[in-house]
Amino acid sequence: MGMLYLVRHGQASFGADDYDQLSALGRRQSVRLGEYFAERGLHFDALIAGDLRRHKQTLAGILEGMRHDAEHVTWNGLNEYDSHALIATVHPEPLARADSPEAYRHHFRLLRDALGRWMAGTTSPLGMPTYSDFVAGVTGVLDHVRSSHHGRNVLIVSSGGPIATAVGQVLQTPYETTIELNLRIRNTSVTEFAFTPRRHMLVSYNGLPHLDAAPYRDWITYA
């Protein structure tokens, strides 16, 4: 039986002009996760990541923390949905910068609503695939892992949407549950699947074992 570790990227630059860039804390989170993997003696037989900058930077931090260097496979199906395009389907006017707790909550209320409509097939966000095509991108990488890496340890670095979708597909949850899984996932959290050539089985979701110790507890973030 193999083990698949799905890692959400480190804290990105929410509210900045370019979200797709790890913050200084996001980089520290990534390196710390790599150190944790090394402390456990965990090694990976295959590395797969989306092609967003925050995915690549997170993987680089993990490998730095492990003191390891390796090539990875880029998989576009692991890329996140476009939250701006989604929100525009329910709130066409530009949103103010989320620079307060209420503005932050407002952003995610809109995102929850927009995700539900996209998943139900009632909206078509500009430049985005249909939800069924988005799901196919995620299930494609799960199929690849099962067929190509039986009995091995595989690391995937992606985003909250694809990871929640993977869990939803394995557990066959309704899309409303997938949305809630998505909106609670934390930066550099680890989700584990055991897998055989036939199926994936959820072992854990959204864990932060590398941040359990007291010095790291204020490193926990959601964006």
Side-chain angles (χ1 to χ4, degrees), residues 80-154:
E80 186 63 287
Y81 51 71
D82 183 341
S83 61
H84 295 292
L86 278 163
I87 289 173
T89 65
V90 296
H91 190 284
E93 300 80 16
L95 280 179
R97 191 181 297 272
D99 55 2
S100 70
E102 178 51 38
Y104 185 85
R105 288 191 292 269
H106 179 58
H107 173 95
F108 284 99
R109 283 194 294 266
L110 291 172
L111 181 58
R112 178 181 280 107
D113 183 18
L115 282 167
R117 297 185 190 207
W118 174 51
M119 292 177 175
T122 60
T123 60
S124 300
L126 184 65
M128 280 181 51
T130 64
Y131 182 60
S132 61
D133 286 343
F134 181 83
V135 170
V138 174
T139 57
V141 73
L142 295 180
D143 292 345
H144 166 75
V145 168
R146 285 200 319 273
S147 65
S148 302
H149 299 293
H150 176 54
R152 298 175 177 175
N153 289 333
V154 180

Side-chain angles (χ1 to χ4, degrees), residues 10-13 21-31 57 219:
Q11 184 189 54
S13 300
Q21 177 81 25
L22 289 192
S23 68
L25 175 56
R27 186 179 181 284
R28 294 197 299 273
Q29 291 167 335
S30 305
V31 173
Q57 291 172 341
W219 290 21

